[in-house]
Amino acid sequence: MEYFAVEGGWPLEGQVPVHGAKNSALPILAATLLADGESIIHNCPSLTDCAAALEILSCLGCRVRREGETVVVNTACRRGHTIPDDLMGRMRASVLFLGPLLARDGAATACWPGGCALGARPIDLHIQAFQALGAQGRSWNGQLFFHAPTGLSGCRIALPIPSVGATENAMLAACGAAGETVIRNAAREPEIVDLARFLRAMGASIRGEGSSVITVEGGRALHGCEHTVIGDRIVAATYLSAAAAAGGDVRLTGVEPEQFSTVTSLFRDAGARVDCAPGEVRIRCGGRLTASGVIRTSPYPGFPTDAQPVVMAALCRGRGTTVFVETMFENRYRHVDELRRMGADIRVQDRVAVVTGVETLHGAPVRCTDLRGGAALCVAALAAEGETR
Ligand code: EPU
């Protein structure tokens, strides 16, 4: 599909099941490499990133099949530890296959990962974690080579920032390391908790997930298992933003509202009625929202950077001024120029964006800059008068 055509200005009504969390499914698909045998993963969303992850598994000799939202991965014929360049380049999360390969084979080779252009996005913390576990790494000709000739050993890893990906890679590699690994200043996101649940179902010994200290007893033989991925809290935040922007009455199912309570309480404060119950959330919104003061993105349980673009789009028509401070990525305002084409009043300086609410947005031709930026344009388009392409 080359474009979405959105005819905006209509309230949204209805019930939507939220699909499984992309950022849970991707590390879990990588983790299947750690087990001998078959893993069955339910609620694995049909998205291009998940398709790329399944292609990586196929290239590594795994048998992979998808039936609806369930994916089955069999590692019985697993072979090799090199991830092809085109698959590495397709998404950032391809880097998460390095930890499991190191754990299984003591070797992993790949080029630098791709992904949405949100800033520099280095992987130094992943590499440092592998090195702390005893792997040697070198880069040559655009390729990264890791190997641990005598296997990985449990260690202490203190992350300077609670990186989601580095925490996941450290957990995955530590499963194959002899002895205990303690990860300090670990990321606390719900996706980390989901990965730990999956690893435990495979027979791994992990504790502390959801807190900033995670302990892994490595070296156990892991087996296939069955797991259901959590609902996608960022997709939920996107639908809530759409209903808040366009008005209406929308019920979302398949999500745990406490995982995005920063977003539900923000819309409540902005004037929407938001009712949360286990496994679902309902939003009702009549008129324009009220601006939200200062929204500062930060690691979980703070306000998620992935929800910043969609919430910004919803507040473009808010009464008053909202200030966004993006602390996670240096280049995550690329949707702003596109929102301006629709009549939004937004000024950006470095990591601060000041959104002054306008009464109406109008449809316009716009360009998706990245995944969440594109979602933000859809949110704004639903609230705008006329057609947006
Ligand atoms: N960072 C480093 N060095 C590293 C790793 C990270 O400096 O080795 C920095 C990053 O540059 C960034 C900060 O640490 O400034 C946080 O990055 P983090 O590692 O936590 O992010 P990530 O693992 O690359 C995941 C999600 C992102 C989400 C971030 C933050 C996946 C596949 N991706 O990325 O999701 O924005 O955590 O919550 O889990 C998205 O879904 O649209 C998306 C970008």
Side-chain angles (χ1 to χ4, degrees), residues 22-23 26 92-93 96 116 118 120-126 161-166 168 189 233 305-306 328-330 332 371-372:
K22 166 179 82 72
N23 291 345
L26 295 171
R92 166 83 178 176
L96 299 174
C116 285
L118 311 175
R121 304 192 82 181
I123 57 167
D124 52 324
L125 305 179
H126 302 240
I161 47 173
S163 155
V164 173
E168 291 166 344
E189 270 68 1
R233 63 195 168 98
T305 172
D306 294 342
M328 302 293 288
F329 293 105
E330 66 263 34
R332 207 167 198 180
L371 172 60
R372 311 298 176 188

PDB file of all heavy atoms in Angstrom, residues 22-23 26 92-93 96 116 118 120-126 161-166 168 189 233 305-306 328-330 332 371-372, ligand 1:
ATOM      1  N   LYS A  22       4.654  -5.948  19.611  1.00  0.00           N
ATOM      2  CA  LYS A  22       5.812  -6.130  18.714  1.00  0.00           C
ATOM      3  C   LYS A  22       7.103  -6.253  19.514  1.00  0.00           C
ATOM      4  O   LYS A  22       7.912  -7.150  19.272  1.00  0.00           O
ATOM      5  CB  LYS A  22       5.892  -4.934  17.753  1.00  0.00           C
ATOM      6  CG  LYS A  22       7.203  -4.812  16.998  1.00  0.00           C
ATOM      7  CD  LYS A  22       7.207  -3.622  16.045  1.00  0.00           C
ATOM      8  CE  LYS A  22       7.532  -2.293  16.662  1.00  0.00           C
ATOM      9  NZ  LYS A  22       8.936  -2.084  17.072  1.00  0.00           N
ATOM     10  N   ASN A  23       7.279  -5.339  20.473  1.00  0.00           N
ATOM     11  CA  ASN A  23       8.569  -5.291  21.165  1.00  0.00           C
ATOM     12  C   ASN A  23       8.724  -6.387  22.222  1.00  0.00           C
ATOM     13  O   ASN A  23       9.788  -6.505  22.830  1.00  0.00           O
ATOM     14  CB  ASN A  23       8.793  -3.892  21.760  1.00  0.00           C
ATOM     15  CG  ASN A  23       9.017  -2.868  20.652  1.00  0.00           C
ATOM     16  OD1 ASN A  23       9.271  -3.227  19.503  1.00  0.00           O
ATOM     17  ND2 ASN A  23       8.895  -1.592  20.990  1.00  0.00           N
ATOM     18  N   LEU A  26       9.424  -9.737  19.385  1.00  0.00           N
ATOM     19  CA  LEU A  26      10.730  -9.814  18.703  1.00  0.00           C
ATOM     20  C   LEU A  26      11.808 -10.466  19.576  1.00  0.00           C
ATOM     21  O   LEU A  26      12.462 -11.417  19.132  1.00  0.00           O
ATOM     22  CB  LEU A  26      11.151  -8.425  18.203  1.00  0.00           C
ATOM     23  CG  LEU A  26      10.231  -7.858  17.109  1.00  0.00           C
ATOM     24  CD1 LEU A  26      10.559  -6.397  16.817  1.00  0.00           C
ATOM     25  CD2 LEU A  26      10.348  -8.689  15.831  1.00  0.00           C
ATOM     26  N   ARG A  92      15.938  -2.829  13.811  1.00  0.00           N
ATOM     27  CA  ARG A  92      16.843  -2.698  14.941  1.00  0.00           C
ATOM     28  C   ARG A  92      16.916  -4.010  15.753  1.00  0.00           C
ATOM     29  O   ARG A  92      17.966  -4.417  16.232  1.00  0.00           O
ATOM     30  CB  ARG A  92      16.308  -1.552  15.798  1.00  0.00           C
ATOM     31  CG  ARG A  92      16.871  -1.432  17.166  1.00  0.00           C
ATOM     32  CD  ARG A  92      18.160  -0.697  17.157  1.00  0.00           C
ATOM     33  NE  ARG A  92      18.665  -0.544  18.502  1.00  0.00           N
ATOM     34  CZ  ARG A  92      19.824  -0.010  18.805  1.00  0.00           C
ATOM     35  NH1 ARG A  92      20.598   0.444  17.852  1.00  0.00           N
ATOM     36  NH2 ARG A  92      20.215   0.095  20.034  1.00  0.00           N
ATOM     37  N   ALA A  93      15.747  -4.654  15.906  1.00  0.00           N
ATOM     38  CA  ALA A  93      15.667  -5.804  16.815  1.00  0.00           C
ATOM     39  C   ALA A  93      16.436  -7.019  16.312  1.00  0.00           C
ATOM     40  O   ALA A  93      16.599  -7.989  17.053  1.00  0.00           O
ATOM     41  CB  ALA A  93      14.211  -6.176  17.062  1.00  0.00           C
ATOM     42  N   LEU A  96      19.020  -8.539  18.493  1.00  0.00           N
ATOM     43  CA  LEU A  96      18.664  -9.408  19.627  1.00  0.00           C
ATOM     44  C   LEU A  96      18.938 -10.888  19.341  1.00  0.00           C
ATOM     45  O   LEU A  96      18.830 -11.714  20.238  1.00  0.00           O
ATOM     46  CB  LEU A  96      17.192  -9.220  20.008  1.00  0.00           C
ATOM     47  CG  LEU A  96      16.828  -7.806  20.457  1.00  0.00           C
ATOM     48  CD1 LEU A  96      15.327  -7.682  20.675  1.00  0.00           C
ATOM     49  CD2 LEU A  96      17.584  -7.463  21.742  1.00  0.00           C
ATOM     50  N   CYS A 116      14.187   2.197  12.615  1.00  0.00           N
ATOM     51  CA  CYS A 116      13.703   3.564  12.440  1.00  0.00           C
ATOM     52  C   CYS A 116      14.818   4.543  12.796  1.00  0.00           C
ATOM     53  O   CYS A 116      15.529   4.350  13.784  1.00  0.00           O
ATOM     54  CB  CYS A 116      12.499   3.830  13.350  1.00  0.00           C
ATOM     55  SG  CYS A 116      10.978   3.071  12.777  1.00  0.00           S
ATOM     56  N   LEU A 118      15.890   7.294  14.518  1.00  0.00           N
ATOM     57  CA  LEU A 118      15.453   8.156  15.629  1.00  0.00           C
ATOM     58  C   LEU A 118      16.644   8.859  16.254  1.00  0.00           C
ATOM     59  O   LEU A 118      16.518   9.523  17.275  1.00  0.00           O
ATOM     60  CB  LEU A 118      14.763   7.311  16.711  1.00  0.00           C
ATOM     61  CG  LEU A 118      13.685   6.339  16.243  1.00  0.00           C
ATOM     62  CD1 LEU A 118      13.190   5.493  17.404  1.00  0.00           C
ATOM     63  CD2 LEU A 118      12.523   7.103  15.620  1.00  0.00           C
ATOM     64  N   ALA A 120      21.241   8.305  16.725  1.00  0.00           N
ATOM     65  CA  ALA A 120      22.418   7.470  16.456  1.00  0.00           C
ATOM     66  C   ALA A 120      22.146   5.981  16.729  1.00  0.00           C
ATOM     67  O   ALA A 120      22.566   5.122  15.979  1.00  0.00           O
ATOM     68  CB  ALA A 120      23.574   7.956  17.301  1.00  0.00           C
ATOM     69  N   ARG A 121      21.473   5.648  17.785  1.00  0.00           N
ATOM     70  CA  ARG A 121      21.135   4.279  18.182  1.00  0.00           C
ATOM     71  C   ARG A 121      22.351   3.325  18.166  1.00  0.00           C
ATOM     72  O   ARG A 121      22.361   2.327  17.428  1.00  0.00           O
ATOM     73  CB  ARG A 121      19.988   3.722  17.328  1.00  0.00           C
ATOM     74  CG  ARG A 121      18.761   4.599  17.379  1.00  0.00           C
ATOM     75  CD  ARG A 121      17.540   3.942  16.788  1.00  0.00           C
ATOM     76  NE  ARG A 121      16.888   3.046  17.725  1.00  0.00           N
ATOM     77  CZ  ARG A 121      15.810   2.324  17.449  1.00  0.00           C
ATOM     78  NH1 ARG A 121      15.267   2.382  16.253  1.00  0.00           N
ATOM     79  NH2 ARG A 121      15.265   1.548  18.357  1.00  0.00           N
ATOM     80  N   PRO A 122      23.360   3.622  18.978  1.00  0.00           N
ATOM     81  CA  PRO A 122      24.513   2.718  19.033  1.00  0.00           C
ATOM     82  C   PRO A 122      24.152   1.397  19.697  1.00  0.00           C
ATOM     83  O   PRO A 122      23.084   1.266  20.302  1.00  0.00           O
ATOM     84  CB  PRO A 122      25.523   3.496  19.897  1.00  0.00           C
ATOM     85  CG  PRO A 122      24.695   4.412  20.725  1.00  0.00           C
ATOM     86  CD  PRO A 122      23.454   4.728  19.932  1.00  0.00           C
ATOM     87  N   ILE A 123      25.075   0.417  19.602  1.00  0.00           N
ATOM     88  CA  ILE A 123      24.854  -0.872  20.290  1.00  0.00           C
ATOM     89  C   ILE A 123      26.024  -1.184  21.220  1.00  0.00           C
ATOM     90  O   ILE A 123      26.299  -2.342  21.529  1.00  0.00           O
ATOM     91  CB  ILE A 123      24.597  -2.033  19.295  1.00  0.00           C
ATOM     92  CG1 ILE A 123      25.750  -2.166  18.296  1.00  0.00           C
ATOM     93  CG2 ILE A 123      23.276  -1.872  18.587  1.00  0.00           C
ATOM     94  CD1 ILE A 123      25.688  -3.487  17.510  1.00  0.00           C
ATOM     95  N   ASP A 124      26.716  -0.115  21.668  1.00  0.00           N
ATOM     96  CA  ASP A 124      27.883  -0.314  22.522  1.00  0.00           C
ATOM     97  C   ASP A 124      27.538  -1.070  23.812  1.00  0.00           C
ATOM     98  O   ASP A 124      28.324  -1.886  24.293  1.00  0.00           O
ATOM     99  CB  ASP A 124      28.538   1.033  22.849  1.00  0.00           C
ATOM    100  CG  ASP A 124      27.547   2.041  23.410  1.00  0.00           C
ATOM    101  OD1 ASP A 124      26.384   2.052  22.960  1.00  0.00           O
ATOM    102  OD2 ASP A 124      27.923   2.821  24.308  1.00  0.00           O
ATOM    103  N   LEU A 125      26.345  -0.842  24.352  1.00  0.00           N
ATOM    104  CA  LEU A 125      25.990  -1.494  25.621  1.00  0.00           C
ATOM    105  C   LEU A 125      25.732  -2.984  25.425  1.00  0.00           C
ATOM    106  O   LEU A 125      26.027  -3.798  26.306  1.00  0.00           O
ATOM    107  CB  LEU A 125      24.769  -0.811  26.252  1.00  0.00           C
ATOM    108  CG  LEU A 125      24.934   0.701  26.460  1.00  0.00           C
ATOM    109  CD1 LEU A 125      23.672   1.302  27.057  1.00  0.00           C
ATOM    110  CD2 LEU A 125      26.132   0.972  27.367  1.00  0.00           C
ATOM    111  N   HIS A 126      25.206  -3.354  24.267  1.00  0.00           N
ATOM    112  CA  HIS A 126      25.036  -4.782  23.943  1.00  0.00           C
ATOM    113  C   HIS A 126      26.426  -5.435  23.887  1.00  0.00           C
ATOM    114  O   HIS A 126      26.650  -6.507  24.449  1.00  0.00           O
ATOM    115  CB  HIS A 126      24.362  -4.962  22.577  1.00  0.00           C
ATOM    116  CG  HIS A 126      23.011  -4.320  22.452  1.00  0.00           C
ATOM    117  ND1 HIS A 126      21.872  -5.048  22.177  1.00  0.00           N
ATOM    118  CD2 HIS A 126      22.600  -3.032  22.548  1.00  0.00           C
ATOM    119  CE1 HIS A 126      20.825  -4.226  22.103  1.00  0.00           C
ATOM    120  NE2 HIS A 126      21.251  -3.003  22.325  1.00  0.00           N
ATOM    121  N   ILE A 161      22.790   3.133  31.357  1.00  0.00           N
ATOM    122  CA  ILE A 161      21.394   3.563  31.208  1.00  0.00           C
ATOM    123  C   ILE A 161      20.541   2.288  31.046  1.00  0.00           C
ATOM    124  O   ILE A 161      21.044   1.278  30.544  1.00  0.00           O
ATOM    125  CB  ILE A 161      21.171   4.499  29.983  1.00  0.00           C
ATOM    126  CG1 ILE A 161      21.860   3.911  28.737  1.00  0.00           C
ATOM    127  CG2 ILE A 161      21.629   5.901  30.231  1.00  0.00           C
ATOM    128  CD1 ILE A 161      21.546   4.669  27.473  1.00  0.00           C
ATOM    129  N   PRO A 162      19.269   2.342  31.466  1.00  0.00           N
ATOM    130  CA  PRO A 162      18.471   1.108  31.404  1.00  0.00           C
ATOM    131  C   PRO A 162      17.987   0.815  29.983  1.00  0.00           C
ATOM    132  O   PRO A 162      16.801   0.921  29.685  1.00  0.00           O
ATOM    133  CB  PRO A 162      17.315   1.401  32.365  1.00  0.00           C
ATOM    134  CG  PRO A 162      17.190   2.889  32.361  1.00  0.00           C
ATOM    135  CD  PRO A 162      18.542   3.464  32.088  1.00  0.00           C
ATOM    136  N   SER A 163      18.923   0.459  29.107  1.00  0.00           N
ATOM    137  CA  SER A 163      18.587   0.160  27.711  1.00  0.00           C
ATOM    138  C   SER A 163      17.738  -1.111  27.631  1.00  0.00           C
ATOM    139  O   SER A 163      18.094  -2.145  28.201  1.00  0.00           O
ATOM    140  CB  SER A 163      19.881  -0.019  26.911  1.00  0.00           C
ATOM    141  OG  SER A 163      19.658  -0.835  25.779  1.00  0.00           O
ATOM    142  N   VAL A 164      16.633  -1.013  26.910  1.00  0.00           N
ATOM    143  CA  VAL A 164      15.731  -2.160  26.750  1.00  0.00           C
ATOM    144  C   VAL A 164      16.459  -3.288  26.009  1.00  0.00           C
ATOM    145  O   VAL A 164      16.533  -4.426  26.478  1.00  0.00           O
ATOM    146  CB  VAL A 164      14.453  -1.733  25.983  1.00  0.00           C
ATOM    147  CG1 VAL A 164      13.585  -2.939  25.661  1.00  0.00           C
ATOM    148  CG2 VAL A 164      13.686  -0.702  26.779  1.00  0.00           C
ATOM    149  N   GLY A 165      17.018  -2.950  24.849  1.00  0.00           N
ATOM    150  CA  GLY A 165      17.657  -3.980  24.030  1.00  0.00           C
ATOM    151  C   GLY A 165      18.872  -4.597  24.708  1.00  0.00           C
ATOM    152  O   GLY A 165      19.072  -5.812  24.641  1.00  0.00           O
ATOM    153  N   ALA A 166      19.696  -3.768  25.361  1.00  0.00           N
ATOM    154  CA  ALA A 166      20.900  -4.302  26.009  1.00  0.00           C
ATOM    155  C   ALA A 166      20.504  -5.202  27.178  1.00  0.00           C
ATOM    156  O   ALA A 166      21.136  -6.240  27.409  1.00  0.00           O
ATOM    157  CB  ALA A 166      21.806  -3.169  26.470  1.00  0.00           C
ATOM    158  N   GLU A 168      17.786  -7.002  27.309  1.00  0.00           N
ATOM    159  CA  GLU A 168      17.290  -8.257  26.706  1.00  0.00           C
ATOM    160  C   GLU A 168      18.441  -9.116  26.206  1.00  0.00           C
ATOM    161  O   GLU A 168      18.482 -10.333  26.459  1.00  0.00           O
ATOM    162  CB  GLU A 168      16.321  -7.922  25.566  1.00  0.00           C
ATOM    163  CG  GLU A 168      15.026  -7.317  26.097  1.00  0.00           C
ATOM    164  CD  GLU A 168      14.155  -6.652  25.034  1.00  0.00           C
ATOM    165  OE1 GLU A 168      14.632  -6.367  23.918  1.00  0.00           O
ATOM    166  OE2 GLU A 168      12.990  -6.386  25.337  1.00  0.00           O
ATOM    167  N   GLU A 189      10.721  -2.429  31.558  1.00  0.00           N
ATOM    168  CA  GLU A 189       9.540  -2.411  30.692  1.00  0.00           C
ATOM    169  C   GLU A 189       8.751  -3.728  30.783  1.00  0.00           C
ATOM    170  O   GLU A 189       9.339  -4.801  31.003  1.00  0.00           O
ATOM    171  CB  GLU A 189       9.986  -2.208  29.228  1.00  0.00           C
ATOM    172  CG  GLU A 189      10.081  -0.765  28.758  1.00  0.00           C
ATOM    173  CD  GLU A 189      11.194   0.054  29.389  1.00  0.00           C
ATOM    174  OE1 GLU A 189      11.968  -0.486  30.211  1.00  0.00           O
ATOM    175  OE2 GLU A 189      11.285   1.258  29.079  1.00  0.00           O
ATOM    176  N   ARG A 233       1.097  -2.221  24.387  1.00  0.00           N
ATOM    177  CA  ARG A 233       0.689  -0.999  25.113  1.00  0.00           C
ATOM    178  C   ARG A 233       0.843   0.249  24.241  1.00  0.00           C
ATOM    179  O   ARG A 233       0.154   1.247  24.454  1.00  0.00           O
ATOM    180  CB  ARG A 233       1.475  -0.863  26.426  1.00  0.00           C
ATOM    181  CG  ARG A 233       2.948  -0.698  26.246  1.00  0.00           C
ATOM    182  CD  ARG A 233       3.726  -0.934  27.535  1.00  0.00           C
ATOM    183  NE  ARG A 233       5.139  -1.033  27.235  1.00  0.00           N
ATOM    184  CZ  ARG A 233       6.015  -0.041  27.350  1.00  0.00           C
ATOM    185  NH1 ARG A 233       5.627   1.129  27.819  1.00  0.00           N
ATOM    186  NH2 ARG A 233       7.281  -0.193  27.021  1.00  0.00           N
ATOM    187  N   THR A 305       8.563   6.895  25.239  1.00  0.00           N
ATOM    188  CA  THR A 305       8.958   7.647  24.037  1.00  0.00           C
ATOM    189  C   THR A 305       8.147   7.204  22.819  1.00  0.00           C
ATOM    190  O   THR A 305       7.836   8.018  21.941  1.00  0.00           O
ATOM    191  CB  THR A 305      10.467   7.495  23.748  1.00  0.00           C
ATOM    192  OG1 THR A 305      10.758   8.076  22.493  1.00  0.00           O
ATOM    193  CG2 THR A 305      10.922   6.050  23.722  1.00  0.00           C
ATOM    194  N   ASP A 306       7.772   5.929  22.758  1.00  0.00           N
ATOM    195  CA  ASP A 306       7.025   5.436  21.590  1.00  0.00           C
ATOM    196  C   ASP A 306       5.617   6.040  21.517  1.00  0.00           C
ATOM    197  O   ASP A 306       4.984   6.001  20.452  1.00  0.00           O
ATOM    198  CB  ASP A 306       6.920   3.906  21.623  1.00  0.00           C
ATOM    199  CG  ASP A 306       8.268   3.233  21.458  1.00  0.00           C
ATOM    200  OD1 ASP A 306       9.212   3.900  20.994  1.00  0.00           O
ATOM    201  OD2 ASP A 306       8.378   2.039  21.799  1.00  0.00           O
ATOM    202  N   MET A 328      14.805  10.319  25.329  1.00  0.00           N
ATOM    203  CA  MET A 328      15.332   8.992  24.971  1.00  0.00           C
ATOM    204  C   MET A 328      16.106   8.997  23.643  1.00  0.00           C
ATOM    205  O   MET A 328      17.128   8.352  23.526  1.00  0.00           O
ATOM    206  CB  MET A 328      14.182   7.985  24.861  1.00  0.00           C
ATOM    207  CG  MET A 328      13.347   7.854  26.120  1.00  0.00           C
ATOM    208  SD  MET A 328      14.256   7.120  27.464  1.00  0.00           S
ATOM    209  CE  MET A 328      14.361   5.443  26.910  1.00  0.00           C
ATOM    210  N   PHE A 329      15.571   9.662  22.653  1.00  0.00           N
ATOM    211  CA  PHE A 329      16.200   9.663  21.330  1.00  0.00           C
ATOM    212  C   PHE A 329      16.387  11.105  20.875  1.00  0.00           C
ATOM    213  O   PHE A 329      15.519  11.956  21.099  1.00  0.00           O
ATOM    214  CB  PHE A 329      15.338   8.911  20.309  1.00  0.00           C
ATOM    215  CG  PHE A 329      15.248   7.433  20.605  1.00  0.00           C
ATOM    216  CD1 PHE A 329      14.093   6.885  21.137  1.00  0.00           C
ATOM    217  CD2 PHE A 329      16.328   6.599  20.365  1.00  0.00           C
ATOM    218  CE1 PHE A 329      14.010   5.525  21.421  1.00  0.00           C
ATOM    219  CE2 PHE A 329      16.252   5.234  20.650  1.00  0.00           C
ATOM    220  CZ  PHE A 329      15.100   4.690  21.174  1.00  0.00           C
ATOM    221  N   GLU A 330      17.516  11.376  20.193  1.00  0.00           N
ATOM    222  CA  GLU A 330      17.814  12.770  19.838  1.00  0.00           C
ATOM    223  C   GLU A 330      17.055  13.250  18.610  1.00  0.00           C
ATOM    224  O   GLU A 330      17.004  14.432  18.340  1.00  0.00           O
ATOM    225  CB  GLU A 330      19.330  12.996  19.683  1.00  0.00           C
ATOM    226  CG  GLU A 330      20.003  12.276  18.554  1.00  0.00           C
ATOM    227  CD  GLU A 330      20.653  10.974  19.025  1.00  0.00           C
ATOM    228  OE1 GLU A 330      20.124  10.306  19.939  1.00  0.00           O
ATOM    229  OE2 GLU A 330      21.678  10.618  18.446  1.00  0.00           O
ATOM    230  N   ARG A 332      13.560  12.424  17.443  1.00  0.00           N
ATOM    231  CA  ARG A 332      12.248  11.788  17.397  1.00  0.00           C
ATOM    232  C   ARG A 332      11.134  12.810  17.229  1.00  0.00           C
ATOM    233  O   ARG A 332      10.024  12.633  17.724  1.00  0.00           O
ATOM    234  CB  ARG A 332      12.016  10.929  18.630  1.00  0.00           C
ATOM    235  CG  ARG A 332      11.042   9.831  18.280  1.00  0.00           C
ATOM    236  CD  ARG A 332      10.931   8.729  19.258  1.00  0.00           C
ATOM    237  NE  ARG A 332      10.299   7.592  18.575  1.00  0.00           N
ATOM    238  CZ  ARG A 332      10.033   6.439  19.132  1.00  0.00           C
ATOM    239  NH1 ARG A 332      10.343   6.221  20.381  1.00  0.00           N
ATOM    240  NH2 ARG A 332       9.454   5.471  18.452  1.00  0.00           N
ATOM    241  N   LEU A 371       7.897   4.603  12.152  1.00  0.00           N
ATOM    242  CA  LEU A 371       6.698   3.849  12.556  1.00  0.00           C
ATOM    243  C   LEU A 371       5.720   4.691  13.390  1.00  0.00           C
ATOM    244  O   LEU A 371       4.558   4.867  13.026  1.00  0.00           O
ATOM    245  CB  LEU A 371       7.156   2.619  13.347  1.00  0.00           C
ATOM    246  CG  LEU A 371       6.083   1.780  14.020  1.00  0.00           C
ATOM    247  CD1 LEU A 371       5.100   1.223  13.020  1.00  0.00           C
ATOM    248  CD2 LEU A 371       6.734   0.642  14.808  1.00  0.00           C
ATOM    249  N   ARG A 372       6.184   5.195  14.519  1.00  0.00           N
ATOM    250  CA  ARG A 372       5.257   5.918  15.415  1.00  0.00           C
ATOM    251  C   ARG A 372       4.913   7.292  14.857  1.00  0.00           C
ATOM    252  O   ARG A 372       3.837   7.826  15.137  1.00  0.00           O
ATOM    253  CB  ARG A 372       5.850   6.050  16.813  1.00  0.00           C
ATOM    254  CG  ARG A 372       6.407   4.768  17.409  1.00  0.00           C
ATOM    255  CD  ARG A 372       5.358   3.695  17.591  1.00  0.00           C
ATOM    256  NE  ARG A 372       5.970   2.445  18.073  1.00  0.00           N
ATOM    257  CZ  ARG A 372       5.335   1.304  18.186  1.00  0.00           C
ATOM    258  NH1 ARG A 372       4.067   1.186  17.836  1.00  0.00           N
ATOM    259  NH2 ARG A 372       5.956   0.234  18.632  1.00  0.00           N
TER     260      ARG A 372
HETATM  261  N1  EPU B   1      21.616   3.202  23.723  1.00  0.00           N
HETATM  262  C1  EPU B   1      22.984   3.357  23.685  1.00  0.00           C
HETATM  263  N2  EPU B   1      23.751   2.245  23.504  1.00  0.00           N
HETATM  264  C2  EPU B   1      23.209   0.992  23.359  1.00  0.00           C
HETATM  265  C3  EPU B   1      21.796   0.859  23.408  1.00  0.00           C
HETATM  266  C4  EPU B   1      21.026   1.985  23.586  1.00  0.00           C
HETATM  267  O1  EPU B   1      23.505   4.463  23.812  1.00  0.00           O
HETATM  268  O2  EPU B   1      23.960   0.041  23.200  1.00  0.00           O
HETATM  269  C5  EPU B   1      20.771   4.393  23.897  1.00  0.00           C
HETATM  270  C6  EPU B   1      19.883   4.647  22.671  1.00  0.00           C
HETATM  271  O3  EPU B   1      20.563   5.337  21.672  1.00  0.00           O
HETATM  272  C7  EPU B   1      18.746   5.425  23.275  1.00  0.00           C
HETATM  273  C8  EPU B   1      18.620   4.843  24.682  1.00  0.00           C
HETATM  274  O4  EPU B   1      19.848   4.160  24.929  1.00  0.00           O
HETATM  275  O5  EPU B   1      19.084   6.781  23.357  1.00  0.00           O
HETATM  276  C9  EPU B   1      17.479   3.876  24.886  1.00  0.00           C
HETATM  277  O6  EPU B   1      17.534   2.870  23.906  1.00  0.00           O
HETATM  278  P1  EPU B   1      17.058   1.367  24.184  1.00  0.00           P
HETATM  279  O7  EPU B   1      18.234   0.474  24.025  1.00  0.00           O
HETATM  280  O8  EPU B   1      16.310   1.325  25.471  1.00  0.00           O
HETATM  281  O9  EPU B   1      16.060   1.153  22.990  1.00  0.00           O
HETATM  282  P2  EPU B   1      15.998  -0.061  21.981  1.00  0.00           P
HETATM  283  O10 EPU B   1      16.178  -1.340  22.700  1.00  0.00           O
HETATM  284  O11 EPU B   1      16.820   0.227  20.788  1.00  0.00           O
HETATM  285  C10 EPU B   1      13.427  -0.385  22.340  1.00  0.00           C
HETATM  286  C11 EPU B   1      12.220  -0.432  21.450  1.00  0.00           C
HETATM  287  C12 EPU B   1      11.952   0.955  20.900  1.00  0.00           C
HETATM  288  C13 EPU B   1      11.727   1.910  22.069  1.00  0.00           C
HETATM  289  C14 EPU B   1      12.936   1.864  23.019  1.00  0.00           C
HETATM  290  C15 EPU B   1      12.745   2.705  24.269  1.00  0.00           C
HETATM  291  C16 EPU B   1      12.334  -2.681  20.576  1.00  0.00           C
HETATM  292  C17 EPU B   1      12.529  -3.576  19.413  1.00  0.00           C
HETATM  293  N3  EPU B   1      12.459  -1.371  20.363  1.00  0.00           N
HETATM  294  O12 EPU B   1      14.489   0.058  21.509  1.00  0.00           O
HETATM  295  O13 EPU B   1      10.762   0.859  20.132  1.00  0.00           O
HETATM  296  O14 EPU B   1      11.561   3.226  21.591  1.00  0.00           O
HETATM  297  O15 EPU B   1      13.191   0.509  23.433  1.00  0.00           O
HETATM  298  O16 EPU B   1      11.624   2.299  24.967  1.00  0.00           O
HETATM  299  O17 EPU B   1      12.032  -3.141  21.669  1.00  0.00           O
HETATM  300  C18 EPU B   1       9.271   1.379  18.384  1.00  0.00           C
HETATM  301  O18 EPU B   1       8.630   0.375  18.695  1.00  0.00           O
HETATM  302  O19 EPU B   1       8.834   2.229  17.565  1.00  0.00           O
HETATM  303  C19 EPU B   1      10.580   1.595  18.980  1.00  0.00           C
HETATM  304  C20 EPU B   1      11.476   2.436  18.467  1.00  0.00           C
END
